[in-house]
């Protein structure tokens, strides 16, 4: 075993009656990695996490943690601990007894126990909260206690089920940074489930995008954004424009593509494409430049359009441009809202070929 | 601040008077030195209490009632606990129908249950007595226990049990360290409620017992003899005090299960 395969999810499927929640998933997760499972609700990410924790038994496949097959091991005997979506702090005992709940089997002395609880509270910056009860804590504090309660067991893997979902935006962003910092300092492998792409992108070493029970792409956040392998991933992560195209010819390095209403262009080869295939050209809104005239900057593609809408976001503005023959207006983001580029005015959009990603249709 | 509303205030006074004056007459007359319950009061005495303490048939009836009540409350709570667990944990087929079926004895007139039970019991050639009374009380109390327990367990967060397992507890440890303490207040409430219901139940006991009397039957029997009335009043006064203590105890226990210091939740037992 190498550290790269610290957790091995092998051909795992889970069916509930006739519904396939998890469909033949294969993932290797490295030791100490911050790994996110990202997808819309109902995509099977929580089911997969619960299979890792042992709360669900896979219909097919195996789970190995640190080279041990844990598929048949019950949750209480697995080297995993979980932070639940609603935190699941025991309401009938105080914070201190919540945190030491899982340490009973370790037969520690009173001093050792106190030390461990103190260290855990210090780690989540809630020293002095020992005697509080769950309903005397805020959402953010509960979340930290849940984290401390799980980490005090020193698990090999920490499983987090949308732990930031219930927090307000500011606190959520703060906790994202803190969680990442904490993960680096304890060195425990984190598996983090979320439907929030921003959350997954900002914290993770790698992200697995899931939809309808299947893993669509596993990549570091940057790759996921810059090289989506699939329409769903491209669309789910950030904003993107899709342009209908057709493959004209293919050789070793290049693909000649005809983009509908924009002309023929030569792009870099991607695997498994054939002549005559209909394909999608994906362009991120920030790579498109918008100008008043077509001679202001040099670009590979320059085309005339009309502004159909704008929306202002403070640090940038989204401009929607209608182009003749293209159904959906192109979305362009610019940090420099040019004067005169207002609703219904004419403009030119400029695209460079290096910013176009070819994505196969499924 | 609310504006003081004199009519509502008067209404509240009348409301409490209506509820409590008839009941409060009992203890008042239990200290009255006369056989008949009429004003004016004749003078203070403790002799009715003395009579009560020395009435051996009363002791027997009290003991019977406690015996029936304890057994009935334990069994009906146990049955209801298992049923409530099943109802809240699993998605049962015909859930609504079976829920209704379980709660049905709740709405069937007691006298109907009593008649059908006596026909059934004697039809099987069995002796009437405290055993059929106890069984009928279990039957009668279970729906009440179900209502108390289901309402508590429906709000039970399944994640808490999973969290306990995740933290290393097996099923047994999870039950004792998490499930049981969280459901305990409801169990206690169910026990107390069913005991009180059984303790003052009259119709079923009247039909199904033979020579062994329960306390309500004993009291009813004594009313026919005017001379025996005052010590029944004394007994009634004692029961009022005891019931109040039980209710206060149950509130105290509820707050034990809710140690946050928030003691403002009002509600039945």
């Amino acid at each position: 075993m190498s550290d790269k395969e610290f957790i091995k999810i092998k051909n795992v499927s889970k069916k509930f009656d006739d519904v396939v929640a998890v469909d033949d998933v294969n993932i290797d997760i490295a030791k100490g990695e911050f790994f996110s499972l990202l997808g819309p609700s109902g995509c099977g990410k929580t089911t997969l996490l619960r299979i890792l924790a042992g709360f669900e038994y896979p219909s097919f496949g195996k789970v190995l943690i640190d080279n041990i097959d844990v598929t048949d091991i019950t949750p209480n005997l697995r080297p995993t601990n979980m932070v639940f979506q609603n935190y699941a702090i025991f309401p009938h005992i105080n914070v201190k007894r919540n945190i030491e709940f899982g340490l009973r089997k370790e037969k520690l002395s009173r001093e050792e126990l106190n030390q461990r609880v103190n260290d855990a509270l210090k780690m989540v910056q809630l020293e002095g909260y020992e005697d509080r009860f769950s309903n005397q804590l805020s959402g953010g504090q509960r979340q930290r206690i849940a984290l401390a309660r799980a980490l005090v067991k020193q698990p090999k893997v920490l499983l987090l089920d949308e732990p930031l979902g219930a927090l307000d935006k500011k606190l959520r962003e703060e906790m994202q940074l803190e969680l990442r910092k904490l993960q680096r300092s304890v060195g425990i492998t984190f598996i983090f489930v979320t439907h929030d792409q921003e959350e997954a992108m900002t914290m993770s070493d790698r992200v697995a995008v899931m939809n309808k029970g299947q893993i669509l792409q596993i990549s570091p956040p940057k790759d996921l954004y810059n090289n989506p392998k699939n329409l769903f991933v491209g669309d789910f992560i950030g904003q993107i424009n899709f342009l209908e195209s057709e493959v004209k010819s293919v050789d070793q390095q290049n693909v000649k593509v005809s983009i509908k209403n924009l002309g023929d262009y030569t792009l870099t080869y991607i695997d498994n494409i054939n002549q005559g295939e209909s394909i999608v050209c994906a362009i991120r809104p920030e790579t498109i430049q918008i100008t008043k005239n077509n001679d202001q900057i040099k670009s590979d593609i320059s085309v005339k359009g009309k502004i159909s809408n704008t929306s202002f976001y403070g640090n940038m503005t989204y401009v929607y441009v209608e182009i003749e023959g293209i159904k959906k207006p192109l979305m362009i983001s610019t940090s420099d809202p040019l004067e005169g580029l207002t609703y219904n005015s004419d403009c030119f959009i400029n695209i460079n070929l290096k910013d176009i990603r070819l994505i196969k249709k499924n | 601040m609310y504006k003081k509303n004199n009519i509502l205030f008067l209404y509240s006074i009348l409301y409490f008077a209506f509820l409590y004056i008839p009941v409060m007459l009992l203890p008042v007359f239990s200290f009255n030195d006369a056989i008949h319950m009429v004003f004016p009061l004749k003078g203070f005495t403790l002799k009715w209490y003395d009579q009560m303490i020395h009435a051996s048939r009363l002791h027997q009836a009290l003991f019977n009632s406690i015996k029936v009540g304890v057994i009935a409350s334990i069994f009906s709570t146990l049955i209801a606990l298992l049923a409530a667990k099943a109802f809240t944990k699993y998605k049962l087929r015909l859930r609504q129908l079976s829920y209704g079926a379980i709660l049905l004895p709740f709405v069937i007139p007691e006298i109907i249950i009593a008649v059908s039970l006596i026909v059934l019991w004697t039809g099987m050639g069995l002796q009437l007595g405290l055993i059929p009374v106890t069984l009928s009380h279990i039957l009668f109390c279970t729906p009440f226990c179900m209502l108390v327990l289901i309402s508590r367990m429906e709000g039970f967060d399944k994640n808490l049990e999973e969290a306990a397992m995740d933290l290393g507890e097996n099923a047994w440890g999870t039950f004792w360290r998490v499930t049981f303490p969280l459901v305990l207040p409801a169990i206690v409430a169910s026990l107390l409620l069913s005991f009180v219901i059984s303790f003052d139940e009259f119709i079923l006991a009247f039909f199904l017992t033979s020579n062994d009397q329960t306390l309500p039957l004993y009291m009813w029997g004594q009313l026919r003899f005017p001379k025996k009335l005052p010590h029944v009043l004394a007994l009634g006064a004692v029961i009022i005090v005891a019931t109040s203590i039980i209710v206060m105890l149950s509130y105290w226990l509820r707050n034990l299960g809710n140690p946050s210091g928030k003691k403002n939740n009002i509600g039945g037992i």
Side-chain angles (χ1 to χ4, degrees), chain A residues 19 188-189 246:
Chain A
V19 184
I188 291 172
T189 311
E246 196 190 318

Side-chain angles (χ1 to χ4, degrees), chain A residues 142-195:
Chain A
R142 262 178 237 170
Q143 200 255 318
R144 285 159 199 248
I145 297 300
L147 208 56
R149 184 178 69 179
L151 285 173
V152 80
K153 294 263 295 171
Q154 298 165 344
K156 286 180 178 168
V157 185
L158 187 74
L159 308 169
L160 302 105
D161 185 9
E162 307 217 21
L164 308 182
L167 307 179
D168 60 67
K169 193 171 187 291
K170 259 249 145 60
L171 190 59
R172 201 161 63 220
E173 281 164 5
E174 235 172 79
M175 281 309 296
Q176 286 172 15
L177 291 175
E178 229 173 86
L179 213 53
R180 179 74 228 224
K181 219 169 108 188
L182 187 67
Q183 191 265 341
R184 287 206 170 100
S185 72
V186 292
I188 291 172
T189 311
F190 276 33
I191 301 180
F192 187 93
V193 159
T194 181
H195 66 270

Side-chain angles (χ1 to χ4, degrees), chain B residues 62-182:
Chain B
L62 177 67
F63 179 68
N64 285 342
S65 269
I66 290 173
K67 199 163 67 178
V68 170
V70 167
I71 295 171
S73 59
I74 289 173
F75 277 94
S76 50
T77 299
L78 197 65
I79 292 168
L81 184 65
L82 298 176
K85 183 81 191 163
F87 266 105
T88 48
K89 183 164 182 178
Y90 305 107
K91 280 185 186 140
L92 298 174
R93 232 177 289 174
L94 300 176
R95 189 175 193 271
Q96 284 301 326
L97 190 68
S98 40
Y99 187 62
I102 285 175
L103 294 184
L104 201 60
F106 199 53
V107 289
I108 296 176
E110 231 181 303
I111 186 102
I112 306 284
I113 302 175
V115 170
S116 54
L117 283 179
I118 196 170
V119 170
L120 185 72
W121 196 257
T122 52
M124 289 193 297
L126 297 166
Q127 282 284 310
L128 291 175
L130 289 181
I131 292 173
V133 172
T134 311
L135 289 173
S136 72
H137 281 187
I138 294 173
L139 184 151
F140 188 63
C141 290
T142 305
F144 290 92
C145 299
M146 280 285 287
L147 284 180
V148 171
L149 291 169
I150 277 191
S151 67
R152 176 79 182 202
M153 285 162 91
E154 247 166 11
F156 193 89
D157 179 7
K158 252 171 88 179
N159 277 345
L160 293 174
E161 290 176 326
E162 287 188 344
M165 275 187 248
D166 188 64
L167 292 166
E169 286 298 338
N170 55 24
W172 188 241
T174 299
F175 179 79
W176 281 114
R177 296 188 71 193
V178 176
T179 318
F180 184 70
L182 287 174

